[in-house]
Every structure is written in C-alpha cells, then in structure tokens.
Amino acid sequence: MRSPHRTTPGSAADRSLLRDSSLVWLASGVVGISFGAVSVAGGLPMWVPVLMSLVVYAGSAQFSAVGVLLAGGGPVAAAATGLLLNTRTAAFSLAVADIIGTGPAARLLGAHLVTDETVAFALAQSDPVRQRRAFWISGVGLFAVWNVGVLAGAAAGSALGDTARYGLDAAFPAVLVALVLPTLRADAAVRRCALLGAALALAVTPAVPAGIPVLLALAGLFLHRRPTTPRGAAA
C-alpha cells in the first residue's frame, strides 16, 4: 500500500511552482499596496482602486489610468490609456488559449487571469498538463495577493493625511519605470521608440489635456523596425 506521506512527482512539481510563484506574488502585493495607497491618498474614493482591481485587474494599465485621473484627465482619456497599455494581453491570450481550457467558465475566468507573469509561468513548462497547472496556480495566487494588497493600501492611504510629506506621488512613475526598465535595457529599438515617445509627450504636455500626451507618445512606435531578412535566406 502506498504511504500517505510519500511525495509524488506531481506534488513536488506543484510545490516548486508555488515556491517560484510566491516570489512574484510578494512583489505584486507590494505594488498593490502602493497602488491602493496612492489612489486613495490622491483623492479617489477607497472603492475605486478596490473595484478596479477586481474587475479590470490590469496592473500597469491601472496605474496609468489612475495617474491620468489624478492629473486631472477625464475618464475617457484614463480608460483609453489603460486600454492601449493592456492590448498586449490579446497576444498573450492567443498564446495560452489551449492551455486555459475549453469550457466557457474556464475561458472566462482564465482570460481575466492572463498577465505577463501567468503566461510566462505557463509557457515555461514542458507539457500541456504542467502548463495548465502552472497557469492556474500562478494566476489565482497572483489575483488574490494583488487584490489583498490593493485593499490594504487603500485602507492605509485613507489614514495617511497629507501624503505630500511621504512622497507617495512618486510611486506612479517609479513603478512604471520599474516595469519598462528591463525591456529598455535589453532592446535598443525599444529605447529609440521610448525616447521619441517621451519627447513627444513632454512637448505637447503644456498644450493638451492630461492623458493625451501618453496617447501621443505611442507615435514613437513608428521608429520600430522589423529585423530585415538577408537576401536568399527566405525559403
């Protein structure tokens, strides 16, 4: 008879996934606390960041949307900015469509859990079964920790009083820089696009409503070039 205390390969692999995912969960929780605290300290009602995190659940896009609102931009500009920043998840969804599952409930919930981290964890696995388990383990945990962090930060933010002395307004640019810095370091083409976009945004900021400079910064993508294929290399 198999001992109930014997470790199976599957359970060992799941513990490994939990261990690796927990590092991302911890970082997500810290960022969530920052998001909730700065949102409320900036003047938004507590329910706004909490509900946004439950319904939208878009990480960097949430930061950008709330940043536009706190800067005086309208809800349309805020929503458009967040939507454009989150369009990358459309490609991610195609990559994990077969991993999530085939049932309507699995696809609906799975689509809500698609993030950079869950896709990376899933695609790093070697077989379809492990990919699916990795997606759901990392996704459910990340969603839970993010929302708990946002709730805790929002509750703390309402009790901070004058937040100017804490410098919490620096959290938005700091988090966004942290999110894009690895890509900027690794890809010269992305750096060129980012520099042009930043220059355009700075140039038009005095003349247009808040949120519009972020949208116009997307024009920097015109500098991006696909790698050229050498002659004769194509089959």
Side-chain angles (χ1 to χ4, degrees):
M1 179 182 295
R2 177 177 295 179
S3 170
H5 302 291
R6 182 175 298 174
T7 301
T8 65
S11 62
D14 285 347
R15 284 199 299 272
S16 177
L17 283 174
L18 287 170
R19 183 188 65 243
D20 295 341
S21 298
S22 64
L23 300 176
V24 179
W25 297 343
L26 177 61
S28 176
V30 173
V31 176
I33 291 173
S34 174
F35 173 72
V38 178
S39 298
V40 173
L44 294 177
M46 181 176 173
W47 63 267
V48 172
V50 173
L51 182 62
M52 181 185 291
S53 295
L54 287 169
V55 178
V56 179
Y57 185 52
S60 60
Q62 289 181 229
F63 271 96
S64 298
V66 171
V68 170
L69 291 175
L70 295 183
V76 174
T81 300
L83 180 62
L84 286 171
L85 287 176
N86 220 37
T87 51
R88 71 188 188 282
T89 58
F92 293 166
S93 298
L94 293 175
V96 296
D98 293 333
I99 295 174
I100 292 175
T102 57
R107 287 192 174 275
L108 180 62
L109 179 58
H112 196 54
L113 299 180
V114 170
T115 65
D116 308 69
E117 296 82 5
T118 55
V119 172
F121 271 110
L123 297 182
Q125 308 307 310
S126 57
D127 64 85
V129 174
R130 296 300 309 157
Q131 287 178 339
R132 182 167 299 177
R133 294 180 72 84
F135 176 86
W136 287 104
I137 288 174
S138 62
V140 172
L142 193 65
F143 180 80
V145 172
W146 169 261
N147 282 280
V148 169
V150 171
L151 178 60
S158 62
L160 291 178
D162 182 11
T163 59
R165 55 183 174 175
Y166 299 111
L168 291 178
D169 55 329
F172 283 109
V175 169
L176 293 177
V177 168
L179 288 169
V180 303
L181 193 57
T183 302
L184 292 176
R185 286 176 173 173
D187 195 325
V190 173
R191 286 196 297 272
R192 290 193 297 270
C193 296
L195 286 173
L196 176 59
L200 289 172
L202 288 173
V204 302
T205 293
V208 300
I212 301 301
V214 178
L215 301 180
L216 294 178
L218 293 172
L221 293 174
F222 285 112
L223 284 184
H224 196 273
R225 297 286 185 271
R226 290 183 178 181
T228 56
T229 303
R231 289 180 178 273

